[in-house]
Amino acid sequence: MTDPVDDIARGMAALRAQNRLLLEQVEALRGTLAAREDEITRLSARLLELEALRASPEPSGLLARLRARRR
């Protein structure tokens, strides 16, 4: 027959190990989420820029030629 104290100690050690693994997964997910949020922010800013360009009247003259070269 096993000692109940040893069983409890083994169970607690297993739970601690599982907790460490879960914490590592949480940290990895936080990093992924931060990267995705950065990408969303960058794409949102770009979309706003493009919408502003579309809403503004087309320039004429030198500015129009310079803008055409950039594209």
Side-chain angles (χ1 to χ4, degrees), residues 3-21:
D3 183 12
V5 174
D6 288 341
D7 289 343
I8 291 171
R10 277 193 296 276
M12 288 178 67
L15 288 174
R16 284 189 186 109
Q18 186 178 20
N19 190 42
R20 278 192 299 274
L21 290 174

Side-chain angles (χ1 to χ4, degrees), residues 37-48:
E37 287 176 342
D38 289 346
E39 184 178 1
I40 288 169
T41 301
R42 183 182 60 76
L43 291 172
S44 295
R46 182 68 179 136
L47 179 60
L48 289 173

Side-chain angles (χ1 to χ4, degrees), residues 21-37:
L21 290 174
L22 289 171
L23 287 173
E24 288 175 11
Q25 289 177 345
V26 166
E27 288 304 315
L29 288 171
R30 282 183 181 154
T32 300
L33 179 60
R36 296 277 168 89
E37 287 176 342

